[in-house]
Amino acid sequence: LTELCEAGCFKDIRNKYNVTPVYEAALKGHHDVLQYLLDVKSSPDIVDMYCQSPLHVAVMSGHIKCVKLLVEGKYFYTSLLDIRYVQF
């Protein structure tokens, strides 16, 4: 994975279900892979064909370490959301 990212491969590549490597890592609980992907600026905001984000599938799968990574402020991007409409 490291070699692919360093070679310039598209980190947010999607399959036919719109699933990305970040989504897969969150779904399967690979928090070390997820952290690496987030560190190299892969997007955690891309949703699958059912509008489920990596955070959704990490929560549903019970992968607490992945959930923590995804909700930490430094990895939460708002590329799909306009922050003016998000209420905290």
Side-chain angles (χ1 to χ4, degrees):
L1 178 64
T2 303
E3 290 177 16
L4 288 171
C5 288
E6 288 175 358
C9 289
F10 187 56
K11 297 177 288 294
D12 290 325
I13 193 165
R14 303 168 192 185
N15 68 12
K16 65 181 179 179
Y17 305 107
N18 213 41
V19 170
T20 64
V22 168
Y23 183 102
E24 278 292 322
L27 175 66
K28 295 182 178 174
H30 299 299
H31 61 69
D32 52 342
V33 174
L34 178 61
Q35 182 162 8
Y36 176 77
L37 288 167
L38 294 171
D39 286 343
V40 296
K41 304 296 186 222
S42 295
S43 176
D45 291 332
I46 300 170
V47 296
D48 68 4
M49 63 187 284
Y50 302 107
C51 294
Q52 294 179 327
S53 71
L55 179 58
H56 289 122
V57 296
V59 169
M60 290 187 300
S61 301
H63 300 302
I64 302 304
K65 288 183 179 181
C66 291
V67 171
K68 287 180 180 179
L69 279 175
L70 290 164
V71 298
E72 283 181 349
K74 64 181 178 178
Y75 296 124
F76 186 72
Y77 308 118
T78 56
S79 62
L80 299 178
L81 300 173
D82 185 339
I83 197 67
R84 291 176 294 179
Y85 300 107
V86 177
Q87 295 182 358
F88 295 97

